[in-house]
Amino acid sequence: MSDFSIGNLLDDDKRASLQNFSENLPSNLKINQDMPRSKREIVSIVAYLTGIEEKYFGIGQTDNMTPQFYRSIFDKLNQDKEARIVRHLCNLRTKLQKNFRAICTEMISGIKNIDMIPDLVPVDSLKSLYNDGILFVRANRKLEDYIVDVHNYLLPHVPNCQKFIPDWIKWVYIRNLFFIQKGNTVEGNKEMAKIYSEYRDLFPYQIYINWFPDDGDGNILRDDAKFLPLLYEHNHDRFYDMSKVTEAGDAAENDPEEFFNEAGKVLIAVDCENADPCKVIGVIKNIVQKNLSEKIYKVLLVDDKHTSSQWRALRRNENLPLEYYLTDRVKDEKSSVDVALAIKFCREITLCKERGEPIDSAIIISSDCDFWPLIELMPEIKFFVMLEYDNCSQAYYQRLQENKIPFFYIDEYYMTGNLELKTEIVLSDVIREIEENYLSTMNLFSVINRVLAKLGLKMSEQELLQFFEKYIRIMSIGFAKNGSAFLQNKPEIEN
């Protein structure tokens, strides 16, 4: 990053205000960033514990301003001694790092300890820690040693805050935010301080935490739906259960079951290139289980040769009117799925209309905004769009909302992490792989004949059949724990 930026020309308060400007816009002007409304419970807990200023929990906001974090969580955690200790230690560490040079100057030239520099060191945090039994201020202590002290004080108290984090969140990822690598050494804190000093404006609310920010992250504490996936990603993991971090806002209240009840004949079009197979299969299975499939005219699957074989699990469903169309590529880097899907969709609508059996409703399962013209240019069809959080753009979400096109996040309806469906899909493909690529190439009579030829022996056809029935058919294939195959039930051979 360049040393020069507009942020470097601003004082700390203005920088913090600018960083959080979008969260504090008047409600009638604020861009709706939540898809659907995202909860802020987890980010409110993290914000409190990491020492983010109280004003962001609603204090001092005018009626037309939206506070970033829940005040109720602030009040709840503020009643807990362990949470207070962690909060004020983190606040203290942030201020010590942010004002490091100025504090050093005061301590050396002014011969002052940190409790005597109220404009640079938060005295209220020192008082709160003292009241909770933490005697932080000591004589003849260097500033870098104080920063190490924060780390050491945090060690026993952060684990006591796990009770505030739900069990469905991996606590270790939250815990890691509070502990700088080698934070118990001066050298370790110096290494992190260099990163913090250079990229301070990218840290959420400029708080000093164990985080390596990226320009594209933005405000990682915007809401739970943004924070948790980023947190897991930074720990080389993936957060799946978005249903736990969203509320049923206006955009999420659209119910597929209600849509089916009001529909006459439904065409379901699936963009296999822009939809998760597990989630789509889960949605279709749910529709079948709720006895809604009788209104389905056809499930149209348009796929690309480079996409997932998982779609076989849906294609095997004989209870649904399915058509699977596999597109080819003229150029390897260019897919034609969206064009093929739009053409086949329009053809189905036209053919049914010509037969006097018009389709009045359609479901598009794709997060690709390229299908918006199809929706816009066919007003006679009632559309329902099924999207995915990770793949749907904000612009497409807003376009659907503005035009009152009902949509639904299939992440809510059926999560990718469902073990039962994963097992079904993986098992079917494993069986197919074994049968097609291994067993189909093996013929035991051929094996016997090769051995006979090798040994220079012969058997009549009758002898061969008897040998096979008595000795070969009784054997079976077993598998070791490492996946290796071996023969079991082998006949005993006398030496």
Side-chain angles (χ1 to χ4, degrees):
M1 291 181 63
S2 171
D3 292 333
F4 176 81
S5 68
I6 293 177
N8 291 333
L9 302 178
L10 303 174
D11 60 39
D12 292 339
D13 289 336
K14 288 181 179 178
R15 265 193 285 200
S17 299
L18 181 61
Q19 183 183 14
N20 301 291
F21 177 73
S22 64
E23 281 78 18
N24 294 321
L25 286 172
S27 57
N28 61 333
L29 294 178
K30 185 178 178 182
I31 297 174
N32 188 349
Q33 294 179 326
D34 306 326
M35 302 185 296
R37 295 186 187 124
S38 296
K39 296 178 181 179
R40 294 178 177 177
E41 293 176 1
I42 307 305
V43 293
S44 296
I45 295 170
V46 172
Y48 177 90
L49 294 175
T50 54
I52 289 177
E53 292 180 78
E54 186 175 349
K55 66 181 180 180
Y56 294 113
F57 291 82
I59 297 297
Q61 303 281 353
T62 58
D63 291 339
N64 67 339
M65 303 291 262
T66 304
Q68 174 68 15
F69 305 112
Y70 296 158
R71 180 68 199 186
S72 59
I73 287 181
F74 182 97
D75 293 337
K76 175 185 176 182
L77 269 63
N78 212 39
Q79 297 299 312
D80 185 90
K81 177 181 176 180
E82 295 297 316
R84 283 197 310 271
I85 289 174
V86 171
R87 171 177 173 78
H88 287 291
L89 283 171
C90 288
N91 182 41
L92 194 57
R93 182 169 62 177
T94 293
K95 293 299 192 296
L96 295 181
Q97 287 288 13
K98 185 183 291 188
N99 304 320
F100 189 89
R101 290 185 180 179
I103 295 172
C104 280
T105 301
E106 290 288 333
M107 292 179 72
I108 295 172
S109 62
I111 316 178
K112 298 177 181 179
N113 209 334
I114 59 172
D115 59 333
M116 302 298 292
I117 320 172
D119 55 330
L120 296 174
V121 181
V123 177
D124 58 335
S125 288
L126 292 174
K127 289 181 179 178
S128 179
L129 289 170
Y130 178 83
N131 292 334
D132 285 326
I134 304 293
L135 305 179
F136 192 81
V137 180
R138 286 178 282 171
N140 303 318
R141 198 76 174 147
K142 293 180 180 180
L143 182 54
E144 53 263 40
D145 294 328
Y146 272 127
I147 295 173
V148 173
D149 288 344
V150 172
H151 176 91
N152 293 332
Y153 276 122
L154 284 171
L155 282 173
H157 294 288
V158 168
N160 294 331
C161 295
Q162 182 176 358
K163 59 189 175 185
F164 299 113
I165 303 299
D167 292 339
W168 47 267
I169 295 175
K170 293 184 180 179
W171 160 248
V172 66
Y173 297 166
I174 300 288
R175 177 194 175 279
N176 289 345
L177 294 173
F178 298 89
F179 297 112
I180 309 303
Q181 189 174 11
K182 296 186 291 185
N184 60 338
T185 66
V186 171
E187 292 73 20
N189 279 284
K190 281 184 178 179
E191 291 176 12
M192 187 63 190
K194 291 178 182 178
I195 297 172
Y196 178 69
S197 177
E198 185 173 359
Y199 301 104
R200 191 171 73 188
D201 290 339
L202 297 181
F203 281 76
Y205 297 82
Q206 299 184 8
I207 57 173
Y208 182 79
I209 56 174
N210 183 26
W211 188 262
F212 294 89
D214 187 278
D215 283 299
D217 289 346
N219 178 12
I220 66 170
L221 296 180
R222 186 193 73 192
D223 51 48
D224 296 351
K226 179 170 186 177
F227 171 63
L228 287 173
L230 275 175
L231 179 68
Y232 274 57
E233 182 182 325
H234 274 244
N235 286 277
H236 310 290
D237 197 354
R238 184 175 179 185
F239 180 78
Y240 288 104
D241 203 348
M242 296 300 292
S243 63
K244 286 188 168 65
V245 295
T246 55
E247 296 172 345
D250 295 337
E253 290 174 353
N254 301 313
D255 187 358
E257 189 169 349
E258 182 180 340
F259 178 80
F260 269 95
N261 290 335
E262 296 177 355
K265 186 183 293 187
V266 181
L267 173 61
I268 299 179
V270 183
D271 175 6
C272 296
E273 195 176 38
N274 285 288
D276 185 297
C278 276
K279 295 176 184 177
V280 174
I281 294 167
V283 170
I284 299 297
K285 287 182 69 174
N286 202 300
I287 288 172
V288 173
Q289 289 169 2
K290 290 185 176 182
N291 298 317
L292 301 172
S293 57
E294 60 185 24
K295 291 192 175 183
I296 297 177
Y297 164 71
K298 180 181 287 186
V299 178
L300 180 59
L301 299 163
V302 179
D303 201 357
D304 181 88
K305 63 180 182 180
H306 294 301
T307 55
S308 176
S309 63
Q310 295 177 35
W311 293 108
R312 290 191 184 92
L314 182 58
R315 290 159 55 193
R316 286 194 301 269
N317 192 322
E318 298 178 356
N319 297 321
L320 286 173
L322 288 168
E323 179 183 344
Y324 182 77
Y325 182 78
L326 185 64
T327 62
D328 197 3
R329 293 193 175 198
V330 178
K331 298 175 66 176
D332 287 340
E333 68 275 12
K334 182 65 177 175
S335 168
S336 58
V337 167
D338 50 355
V339 175
L341 181 60
I343 292 173
K344 291 188 73 64
F345 183 94
C346 292
R347 182 175 293 173
E348 294 291 348
I349 298 295
T350 302
L351 290 174
C352 286
K353 188 175 181 180
E354 290 176 351
R355 291 199 301 263
E357 301 174 351
I359 294 172
D360 66 315
S361 305
I363 295 176
I364 302 290
I365 303 183
S366 175
S367 299
D368 193 342
C369 62
D370 286 347
F371 293 107
W372 171 249
L374 185 69
I375 298 171
E376 186 179 36
L377 297 174
M378 302 189 76
E380 70 277 14
I381 303 295
K382 290 181 292 186
F383 281 92
F384 191 102
V385 181
M386 292 189 175
L387 311 164
E388 295 174 54
Y389 285 111
D390 292 343
N391 299 324
C392 177
S393 68
Q394 174 67 23
Y396 191 31
Y397 160 79
Q398 288 181 323
R399 180 64 61 88
L400 293 171
Q401 193 175 44
E402 289 166 1
N403 288 273
K404 295 183 168 59
I405 303 297
F407 60 93
F408 195 92
Y409 287 93
I410 59 178
D411 310 71
E412 297 277 1
Y413 212 59
Y414 191 87
M415 300 311 300
T416 305
N418 186 284
L419 182 59
E420 181 182 350
L421 181 56
K422 277 186 177 179
T423 301
E424 178 186 331
I425 292 173
V426 173
L427 181 59
S428 64
D429 268 35
V430 167
I431 292 173
R432 182 182 60 82
E433 185 79 11
I434 293 173
E435 290 179 340
E436 292 182 3
N437 296 329
Y438 296 95
L439 298 185
S440 65
T441 61
M442 179 185 294
N443 186 286
L444 272 299
F445 285 107
S446 297
V447 173
I448 297 170
N449 284 323
R450 282 200 302 272
V451 171
L452 289 171
K454 180 181 177 181
L455 297 174
L457 300 174
K458 291 184 179 181
M459 281 188 180
S460 67
E461 185 176 340
Q462 186 63 30
E463 288 175 328
L464 188 62
L465 288 173
Q466 289 178 350
F467 179 85
F468 177 79
E469 290 293 336
K470 185 174 182 179
Y471 299 110
I472 304 301
R473 188 187 286 276
I474 63 172
M475 293 190 290
S476 60
I477 298 175
F479 296 96
K481 289 184 178 180
N482 64 359
S484 299
F486 62 90
L487 286 175
Q488 57 187 12
N489 301 322
K490 292 184 292 185
E492 294 184 8
I493 302 174
E494 296 181 3
N495 295 326

